[in-house]
Amino acid sequence: MYSLGDIVRLLLYLVGLIGFGAFNAAYLSLLERKQSAWMQLRRGPTEVGPWGLIQPVADGLKLLSKQILLPRDVNVPLFLLAPIMVVVPAIVSLVTIPFSETLVAHRYNLGLLMIFSFGAINIFALLIAGWASANKYASIGAVRVVAQNIAYEVPMLLVVIALVMVTSSFDLVEIVKQQGGGCWHWNLLKLGANPMMPASFLIFFICMLAETNRAPFDMVEAESELIAGAFTEYSGMGFGLFFIAEYVNILIGCSLATILFLGGWDCPFGLFPGPHWFLIKMYALCFTVVWVRWSFPRTQFYGLLNLSWKILIPLALVNLLLTAVMLKLVP
Amino acid sequence: MSTDAQAIHHESFIVNLGPQHPATHGVLRIKLTMDGEYILDAEPIIGYGHRMHEKMGENRAYAKFLPNTGRMDYVAALFNGHGYVCAVERLAGLTVPERAEYIRVITCELNRVASHLLWLGAFLVDLGGFTPLLYCFDDREKILDLLESVTGARLTFCYFRFGGVCNDIDDTFVNGTRDFVKLLRSRMPLYHDFVSTNIIFRKRCEGIGLLSADTCRRYGATGPVLRGSGVAYDVRKQEPYSIYPKLDFKIPVYPECDCMARYRVRVDEIVESLRIIEQALDQLPAGPVMAPKVPKILKPAKGDCYFNVESARGSFGIRIVSDGSENAYRLKLRSPCFSNMSLFQEASRGMLLADALALLGSLDLVIPDMDR
Amino acid sequence: MPDNDWKTRLVACAARDAAQQPLVTETPHATKGSVLEVTVPAADVVAAARILDNAVFLIEAVTGVDWLAEQQMELVYDFVQMQTGERVTLRARVPREKPELPTISAVYPGANWHERETHDFFGIVFSGHPNLTPLLLPEDARFHPLRKDFAP
């Protein structure tokens, strides 16, 4: 049973995590704008605050002050429910993310499973958003998101299952602890357990891009085909919540990649481990996500599905099999 | 919701792509009948930007129509002006000083490079890659600066006159152009690395949007679209005009018929245009830039003539019928985009939406040119 | 196989003048822009288009000219041979009070839009055209602005 102290601690963490999520969503969007500007010979936001640092606040205020338009044919309850449904699981998933051994809101021995189950709600939210919008572009976007996320959840879970077989734990803190003591202990380089570990990290990263609907897999939005896909009819904070959820999902995806493969809060050379290392690794991955987005055009839809069903899933299955064989052979 | 069982059974639906849509680059509307993401029928509905330039040409003096030419294909506006002045000169029997011909070719080819660069950026945006657009704009901006220094305009040029051009070019322009040619040449490998070798770009272009040479011919598609289908048809070679016979340049042709072939044709054309500009600058003769004694009000003799130039988008033609008065009796503008677009309905049938938009982008449409 | 004999076929197809001579002129490219001008009877444009189609000509444009004084409408079809660059102009005249002639869009599908445009501007009716609705003009347009007696 939980004591009062536990509950207060959890609530404080929850407030902190909402703040953390919101702050990151805001400043990841600024990072995205600044980084894309930097890649594109531009300067990005410069007007609001020094180097445009207050820009996200201005964006947020603008979104908050805009009217939430309800087009005539939308299914109002579902239309309003969808943005909430997309942002709540994203925030809740942060609860089990360990920033360090002690800095974790709720250590849960099935933490990994919990994040995936909450992540799956995302699909329903986008499907509801697309369907409730009563817009053809939104419907196409919604149909795409289901096909895409199901296709990419399979290889992602296969990779994670192989990893869990190695670590024999769903507990994120435990998984990180096993990787402690320098980068040669990280799962990424645990070639003794499975020589395909770097490949499985790559599969995980690609699937993470696809699951968060980021370019080059941004089929849901696909602005040059579907205008804004499932979000076409949303305005103001309705759209803002999808926006926040997208960045929080990137945050969770990068955190998971850090925890599962890059040793979490562990220092690469075995000195001074701590949450700062976790944040450095996570933001480096976030940076890569943005980098990929502004370097590649969008894939075709069938190219996207082919990549998953014909390349990633077979690879992940081989990876799984190899892990099982290695576990039997190498005690 | 419709309860019509028949309608539910078919499961096809109509999407109006445009008139306001990110992929149409202007007010073009395409009525799509779709089955899921497959296009059953795509009917372009055009004319939103129609201004009846042909009627304007009929009720004003020849010289007063000159500014209109820059407002049809505003991305490659000099070609329209070139076609128009050449047609009137042909009809009125005017000769143009050699220096003026060189200047016309230099500025036109600069305009072609600018147009192709803009296309490259916009095409990549259609495919969902935003970054190359700004690199293209950066280079295109330098061309516009050069053209501005001599024509006074950045987009809707009105630079050519009957019997020459209105401004002579100076050393600043010549040197600036030479520098730009060197610069863009050094940038081409960057575009190549960034775009041509990009795996997603290639997957989205190779084998997508096939247009056979016969389809192009029956629909009258010209320019890079036709050359991307393996036909070496270029007005500059087939019906040489101006000083093109004196210049050494190749016509890039790719037989693959897909979006990638059209992309390669345009990129190669940028390189060829740079060669043309360099040669023309080397050969640039001294002399006047306007023919002497061009009458203020032209009254060409009765008759008609047709003149074609190779615009950035294909063969731009002008037919002028003169009745001997100071206004044209009939002025027909043959826009390349109009013909290129007309094949979309047939070519896009059965394609996926995203691929059809790649095809649409590869046609390089300028809507006001199509609507005139 | 491209038809190399298109010139003689086209001459055979041409309209005759009062002296029964075919209305065909070889025109200098340098001053006219085309190498051959052929006037055909309005009913024979499809046959002429078919000859050019067999000779691998590309359709360049279809347009009209309103000859108010002669009470006639002239149709001008421009074709170009893709390999040689030879440009052929087909002309046909129809009476102004009943401007009607067959469509060539079955031979050249690209003529579809050109004919719709010509119908918009001149009110010339292309019989057999699959969809002769306004293309560039508004869909409810009932006027033909390039007619010389058009008053807005």
Side-chain angles (χ1 to χ4, degrees), chain B residues 48-216:
Chain B
Y48 290 92
H50 179 55
R51 289 147 295 165
M52 203 77 232
H53 279 298
E54 298 181 9
K55 186 76 179 174
M56 287 191 242
E58 283 180 19
N59 53 28
R60 61 194 62 193
Y62 285 99
K64 287 185 182 168
F65 186 69
L66 276 171
N68 285 53
T69 58
R71 282 154 181 79
M72 289 182 287
D73 181 354
Y74 55 76
V75 180
L78 280 172
F79 293 99
N80 300 348
H82 199 184
Y84 180 61
V85 293
C86 285
V88 174
E89 281 158 5
R90 180 175 271 181
L91 202 59
L94 292 173
T95 49
V96 183
E98 214 183 2
R99 185 176 170 85
E101 291 279 22
Y102 273 93
I103 294 174
R104 283 181 182 179
V105 166
I106 292 168
T107 47
C108 272
E109 293 300 325
L110 277 175
N111 207 178
R112 187 190 309 276
V113 175
S115 165
H116 283 348
L117 281 174
L118 180 68
W119 170 80
L120 179 60
F123 182 50
L124 264 294
V125 171
D126 282 349
L127 299 183
F130 192 75
T131 304
L133 176 77
L134 290 135
Y135 283 78
C136 294
F137 260 75
D138 189 45
D139 286 338
R140 178 172 171 268
E141 206 67 8
K142 298 190 179 80
I143 301 180
L144 296 188
D145 286 344
L146 283 171
L147 288 177
E148 187 187 12
S149 74
V150 50
T151 66
R154 291 173 68 82
L155 206 63
T156 52
F157 308 106
C158 173
Y159 178 48
F160 302 145
R161 298 286 183 273
F162 307 129
V165 297
C166 68
N167 275 331
D168 198 358
I169 58 175
D170 53 7
D171 285 346
T172 331
F173 176 81
V174 172
N175 294 333
T177 310
R178 281 189 196 281
D179 289 346
F180 172 75
V181 169
K182 281 198 202 82
L183 176 93
L184 191 59
R185 231 175 237 152
S186 69
R187 294 268 277 190
M188 291 318 283
L190 181 114
Y191 288 116
H192 185 69
D193 287 349
F194 202 22
V195 180
S196 321
T197 56
N198 188 314
I199 177 75
I200 296 179
F201 175 76
R202 291 180 51 177
K203 288 240 171 191
R204 289 213 57 180
C205 288
E206 284 173 355
I208 303 296
L210 296 174
L211 300 172
S212 70
D214 207 48
T215 307
C216 290

Side-chain angles (χ1 to χ4, degrees), chain C residues 72-150:
Chain C
Q72 279 183 325
M73 292 271 193
E74 184 179 14
L75 269 292
V76 186
Y77 300 79
D78 284 292
F79 295 92
V80 65
Q81 223 283 342
M82 295 193 294
Q83 266 77 41
T84 58
E86 287 167 300
R87 205 169 275 284
V88 171
T89 308
L90 281 189
R91 291 169 188 275
R93 292 219 174 195
V94 287
R96 205 165 174 282
E97 61 271 20
K98 192 175 180 294
E100 191 171 342
L101 78 170
T103 172
I104 63 163
S105 59
V107 185
Y108 279 100
N112 185 322
W113 278 22
H114 287 289
E115 287 177 348
R116 278 174 74 184
E117 184 196 304
T118 312
H119 174 72
D120 280 9
F121 292 173
F122 293 95
I124 294 169
V125 178
F126 294 88
S127 49
H129 191 285
N131 181 22
L132 204 60
T133 51
L135 179 69
L136 292 173
L137 295 185
E139 55 208 20
D140 56 349
R142 296 285 173 272
F143 48 86
H144 305 294
L146 281 185
R147 287 193 173 201
K148 287 288 172 187
D149 54 1
F150 167 74

